[in-house]
């Protein structure tokens, strides 16, 4: 996206007066659409549309051996694919840096056992565990990818059904799993404390949340705040500019406040979705 | 993940022997309780005390600029190379670019590291790039790229911040135009204990929540600062920390970053004086 100086000034002045180009206030979010269970081959999936940003997340589960340093923990891995469908800038290896940044931020945000307890994914101490592959596909890019991805991931994990293991037999070195055939008999993940990310973007002297593509273009730097429950699980700075310590504290506060609100709204929406409802654009 | 077939990567499923040793079995939780009880860190530092620093420039003679930093056992070497045209870029960019590569040497950690960059190293590279980008006058070398390579020779905690501080010094040594001196400090948080400049054991203590009845906060915070402009160029945290603790840690780190500045300054002055003497 290319903006001329006049357009940038227009965005900047709007932010200064607490009236952004799309009529929002500084701490307002754009409308969102969330669907769950949209991919039939996945164990859990979600699609989020945040104004022009479109993200599809699918969770696949496979069996694996736990890491020797953490024999009681299962594994979770995040892959982000910034396809050139989303924006021409991602063509070739253009989106690779962004994809790595998003997946690493997710990995660190989910790394604390207080945010996501991977011990529940362990089947047999040191021998067998579930591995969750969380694949994130960016379908359209309209700014604020970090937030959109984190919400979609949380919804997809909420939607995930882990096959129910009836019993585990050990015979020498052979491990035999007896997995239930009944699809309705499954376990759910506890995602109450799964982190929600909010990107706080600094434009001029003010900080805004949920920047659209034009606003992202005007900003020198932003802070991604991942909040799990009432604690902060990850902070990651993007962009090139530097911040005054006071601004940093201020933006952390704003991010924290908005993330708590966002998390509440998300939990409310998720609790309204009936698990057996048929919906989604792929069905 | 592409595997380099020309190198011996070692068997795939090996496990460091230290997992089965006695010191490993004395769990980190016990070590933490010990520190809490005695109120003293294992190397008898105060909790807000940074380790002694040793820096020198010109460690790599072939590089344009280089720096070597030691924080007791943490040893990092950084080299900066001449600007070159940004590769594979069709359009002309008005700003220069930094390319940062952060790498743990295979023998630097308890567990052997592979030669290819893993996710953690890539993340560290990105953080390093972010921290340095706001220090360097990028408009001074349009369409050119400066390469910064950091290699950790020995990891005893706080590698990333050591690499950032050293990279700032190496860039200055290379004569890359900069706005300011950059210093960086790491902090580990476990419940109500703040470990400034943690060692690798202290970092591991802070990596996971230790069982406790009420307050279970833990995490690692890295802050990089530009001294004269009083700007935070990079701030990175992970774990599970409340907002109040985080604000507290920012002010402590801010203070410690300031304490490091005279050391870097002194070394730069020494370097300039040496150069002047050589030229006259």
């Amino acid at each position: 996206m290319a903006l001329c100086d006049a357009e940038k000034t227009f965005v900047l002045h709007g932010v200064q007066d607490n009236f952004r180009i799309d009529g929002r206030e500084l701490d307002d979010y754009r409308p969102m659409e969330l669907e769950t269970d949209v991919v039939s081959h996945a164990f859990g999936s979600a699609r989020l549309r945040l104004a022009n940003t479109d993200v599809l997340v699918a969770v696949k589960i496979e069996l694996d051996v736990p890491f020797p340093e953490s024999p009681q923990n299962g594994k979770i891995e995040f892959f982000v694919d910034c396809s050139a469908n989303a924006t021409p800038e991602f063509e070739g290896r253009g989106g690779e840096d962004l994809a790595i940044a998003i997946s690493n931020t997710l990995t660190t945000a989910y790394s604390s056992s207080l945010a996501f307890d991977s011990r529940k994914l362990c089947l047999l101490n040191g021998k067998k565990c579930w591995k969750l592959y969380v694949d994130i596909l960016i379908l359209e890019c309209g700014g604020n990818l970090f937030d959109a991805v984190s919400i979609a991931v949380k919804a997809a994990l909420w939607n995930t059904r882990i096959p129910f293991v009836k019993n585990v037999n050990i015979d020498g070195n052979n491990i035999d799993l007896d997995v239930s055939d009944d699809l309705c008999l499954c376990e759910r993940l506890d995602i109450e404390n799964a982190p929600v990310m909010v990107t706080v973007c600094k434009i001029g002297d003010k900080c805004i949340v949920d920047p659209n593509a034009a606003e992202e273009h005007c900003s020198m730097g932003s802070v991604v705040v991942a909040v799990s429950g009432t604690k902060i699980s990850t902070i990651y700075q993007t962009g090139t500019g530097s911040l005054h310590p006071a601004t940093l504290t201020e933006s952390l506060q704003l991010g924290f406040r908005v993330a708590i609100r966002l998390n509440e709204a998300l939990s409310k929406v998720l609790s309204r979705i009936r698990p057996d409802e048929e919906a989604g654009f792929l069905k | 993940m592409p595997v380099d077939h020309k190198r011996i990567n070692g068997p795939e499923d090996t496990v460091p022997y230290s997992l089965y040793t006695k010191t490993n079995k004395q769990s980190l939780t016990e070590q933490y309780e010990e520190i809490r009880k005695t109120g003293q860190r294992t190397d008898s530092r105060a909790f807000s005390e940074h380790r002694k620093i040793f820096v020198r420039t010109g460690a790599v003679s072939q590089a344009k600029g280089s720096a070597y930093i030691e924080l007791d056992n943490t040893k990092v070497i950084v080299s900066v190379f001449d600007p070159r045209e940004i590769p594979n870029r069709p359009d002309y960019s008005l700003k220069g670019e930094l390319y940062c590569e952060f790498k743990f040497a295979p023998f630097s950690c308890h567990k052997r590291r592979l030669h290819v960059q893993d996710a953690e190293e890539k993340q560290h590279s990105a953080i390093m790039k972010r921290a340095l980008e706001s220090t360097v006058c990028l408009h001074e070398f349009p369409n050119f790229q400066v390469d910064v390579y950091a290699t950790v020779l020995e990891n005893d905690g706080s590698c990333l911040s050591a690499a950032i501080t050293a990279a700032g010094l190496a860039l200055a040594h290379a004569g890359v135009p900069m706005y300011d001196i950059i210093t960086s400090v790491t902090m580990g948080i476990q419940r109500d204990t703040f470990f400034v400049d943690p060692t690798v054991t202290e970092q591991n203590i802070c990596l996971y929540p230790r069982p406790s009845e009420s307050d279970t906060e833990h995490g690692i915070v890295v802050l990089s600062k530009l001294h004269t402009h009083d700007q935070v160029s990079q701030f990175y945290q992970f774990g599970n920390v409340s907002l109040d603790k985080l604000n507290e840690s920012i002010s402590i780190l801010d203070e410690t970053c300031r304490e490091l500045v005279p050391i870097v300054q002194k070394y730069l002055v020494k370097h300039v004086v040496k150069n002047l003497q050589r030229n006259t």
Side-chain angles (χ1 to χ4, degrees):
Chain A
M1 181 176 221
L3 287 185
C4 70
D5 281 348
E7 284 172 303
K8 281 186 183 169
T9 320
F10 183 67
V11 173
L12 199 124
H13 284 178
V15 168
Q16 217 73 303
D17 298 337
N18 195 11
F19 194 81
R20 289 154 67 176
I21 38 172
D22 40 14
R24 282 182 291 160
E25 289 191 6
L26 297 183
D27 58 350
D28 277 349
Y29 244 78
R30 288 172 289 179
M32 274 181 246
E33 268 172 48
L34 179 70
E35 291 174 73
T36 54
D37 211 5
V38 281
V39 183
S40 52
H41 284 301
F43 292 77
S45 58
R47 173 185 172 243
L48 182 86
R49 192 168 173 85
L50 172 68
N52 288 328
T53 305
D54 211 327
V55 184
L56 179 65
V57 178
V59 183
K60 279 278 201 186
I61 305 178
E62 270 170 33
L63 279 169
D64 203 352
V65 182
F67 291 116
E69 37 300 20
S70 55
Q72 291 164 7
N73 295 61
K75 296 179 181 176
I76 182 165
E77 223 172 282
F78 299 91
F79 292 98
V80 180
D81 184 7
C82 295
S83 67
N85 261 344
T87 145
E89 286 155 36
F90 290 160
E91 191 249 316
R93 308 186 78 176
E96 202 179 28
D97 287 346
L98 182 68
I100 289 172
I102 295 177
S103 61
N104 278 337
T105 315
L106 278 171
T107 312
T108 46
Y110 277 83
S111 66
S112 170
S113 61
L114 296 172
F116 179 78
D117 196 359
S118 62
R119 273 173 299 189
K120 295 205 176 100
L121 297 175
C122 185
L123 294 170
L124 188 65
N125 200 343
K127 294 272 187 342
K128 276 269 182 277
C129 70
W130 293 118
K131 181 168 186 176
L132 300 186
Y133 290 96
V134 183
D135 288 292
I136 300 145
L137 186 64
I138 315 275
L139 296 173
E140 197 179 337
C141 189
N144 206 14
L145 278 180
F146 279 90
D147 302 24
V149 166
S150 77
I151 297 168
V153 166
K154 186 165 177 165
L157 288 175
W158 175 85
N159 179 239
T160 301
R161 295 189 193 96
I162 300 177
F164 184 71
V165 178
K166 281 193 280 196
N167 60 51
V168 184
N169 300 318
I170 311 168
D171 178 17
N173 278 332
N174 271 341
I175 297 161
D176 205 19
L177 291 181
D178 190 2
V179 185
S180 160
D181 289 329
D182 188 1
L183 279 178
C184 297
L185 198 63
C186 61
E187 284 174 280
R188 296 270 183 174
L189 289 164
D190 174 24
I191 52 105
E192 203 197 318
N193 282 328
V196 166
M197 294 193 222
V198 168
T199 309
V200 182
C201 205
K202 189 170 184 255
I203 296 182
D205 301 331
K206 296 274 169 57
C207 297
I208 58 164
V209 296
D210 188 25
N212 59 29
E215 284 166 334
E216 260 179 4
H217 208 76
C218 295
S219 152
M220 282 302 283
S222 42
V223 185
V224 181
V225 186
V227 176
S228 117
T230 57
K231 303 278 175 62
I232 295 175
S233 75
T234 295
I235 293 165
Y236 181 72
Q237 243 180 308
T238 58
T240 50
S242 55
L243 300 171
H244 191 270
T247 322
L248 178 67
T249 329
E250 195 188 310
S251 48
L252 291 186
Q253 234 144 26
L254 174 67
F256 184 71
R257 208 177 62 224
V258 174
I260 297 242
R261 253 164 47 198
L262 190 60
N263 194 21
E264 272 170 18
L266 180 64
S267 312
K268 211 184 275 171
V269 169
L270 288 179
S271 66
R272 274 214 308 262
I273 299 178
R274 281 192 302 276
D276 51 349
E277 203 168 35
E278 292 255 321
F281 77 119
L282 291 178
K283 272 184 184 165
Chain B
M1 188 55 105
V3 181
D4 191 346
H5 292 289
K6 288 186 186 126
R7 293 182 194 275
I8 303 165
N9 284 320
E12 255 167 45
D13 47 352
T14 50
V15 172
Y17 80 97
S18 56
L19 281 177
Y20 303 99
T21 55
K22 219 180 222 165
T23 40
N24 187 63
K25 295 218 169 96
Q26 186 203 0
S27 72
L28 289 166
T29 314
E30 279 166 39
Q31 286 185 37
Y32 174 62
E33 289 304 333
E34 182 90 18
I35 292 171
R36 246 166 89 92
K37 210 164 63 194
T38 54
Q40 234 186 10
R41 291 162 82 166
T42 34
D43 48 3
S44 64
R45 268 187 292 158
F47 285 103
S48 59
E49 193 183 335
H50 200 278
R51 281 176 285 187
K52 296 264 183 299
I53 291 188
F54 171 81
V55 280
R56 62 167 290 190
T57 51
V60 182
S61 56
Q62 299 282 323
K64 185 84 177 162
S66 60
Y68 171 76
I69 189 168
E70 259 182 34
L71 314 172
D72 268 355
N73 283 333
T74 298
K75 296 172 184 122
V76 184
I77 195 161
V78 181
S79 44
V80 174
F81 288 90
D82 285 305
R84 59 191 175 107
E85 221 167 290
I86 303 173
N88 311 324
R89 172 73 69 84
D91 52 337
Y92 184 85
S93 71
L94 284 171
K95 275 188 163 183
E97 265 185 25
L98 276 182
Y99 172 77
C100 291
E101 199 177 293
F102 181 95
K103 188 82 195 75
F104 283 106
F107 46 80
S108 61
C109 305
H110 278 296
K111 198 178 172 187
R112 184 175 178 270
R113 292 275 177 163
L114 293 179
H115 285 277
V116 280
Q117 271 198 321
D118 61 17
E120 186 192 359
E121 288 164 338
K122 278 189 183 148
Q123 173 87 328
H124 283 10
S125 308
I127 293 168
M128 223 174 112
K129 182 180 174 194
R130 226 222 85 92
L132 297 172
E133 257 176 349
S134 42
T135 333
V136 175
C137 310
L138 292 171
H139 58 277
E140 295 270 356
F141 46 97
N143 214 29
F144 276 83
Q145 161 182 316
V146 171
D147 297 332
V148 182
Y149 298 101
T151 309
V152 179
L153 300 177
E154 197 174 331
N155 175 12
D156 194 17
S158 318
C159 292
L160 181 58
S161 51
I164 292 172
T165 310
L169 197 61
L171 282 165
H173 180 238
V176 175
M178 286 165 83
Y179 293 109
D180 211 337
I181 288 173
I182 183 168
T183 50
S184 176
V185 176
T186 309
M187 178 192 268
I189 301 170
Q190 179 60 247
R191 276 190 257 171
D192 48 2
T193 322
F194 292 106
F195 298 95
V196 171
D197 185 27
T199 61
V200 85
T201 331
E202 285 164 350
Q203 254 181 20
N204 289 341
I205 287 175
C206 301
L207 229 44
Y208 297 103
R210 303 285 150 220
S212 121
E213 311 79 50
S214 51
D215 157 54
T216 46
E217 286 172 59
H218 71 104
I220 306 260
V221 188
V222 183
L223 180 110
S224 311
K225 253 199 107 200
L226 309 182
H227 157 70
T228 24
H229 296 286
D230 196 21
Q231 292 273 312
V232 176
S233 73
Q234 175 275 130
F235 184 72
Y236 172 67
Q237 174 261 339
F238 68 89
N240 209 37
V241 187
S242 69
L243 192 59
D244 298 336
K245 278 247 165 70
L246 212 56
N247 287 333
E248 204 180 327
S249 74
I250 291 175
S251 55
I252 299 174
L253 284 171
D254 195 17
E255 195 53 48
T256 325
C257 276
R258 199 166 298 145
E259 283 166 18
L260 296 189
V261 174
I263 303 172
V264 177
Q265 257 169 351
K266 197 176 139 197
Y267 204 84
L268 281 175
V269 170
K270 217 160 130 189
H271 169 69
V272 171
V273 169
K274 209 157 84 191
N275 260 11
L276 283 175
Q277 278 168 350
R278 198 184 296 155
N279 289 343
T280 47

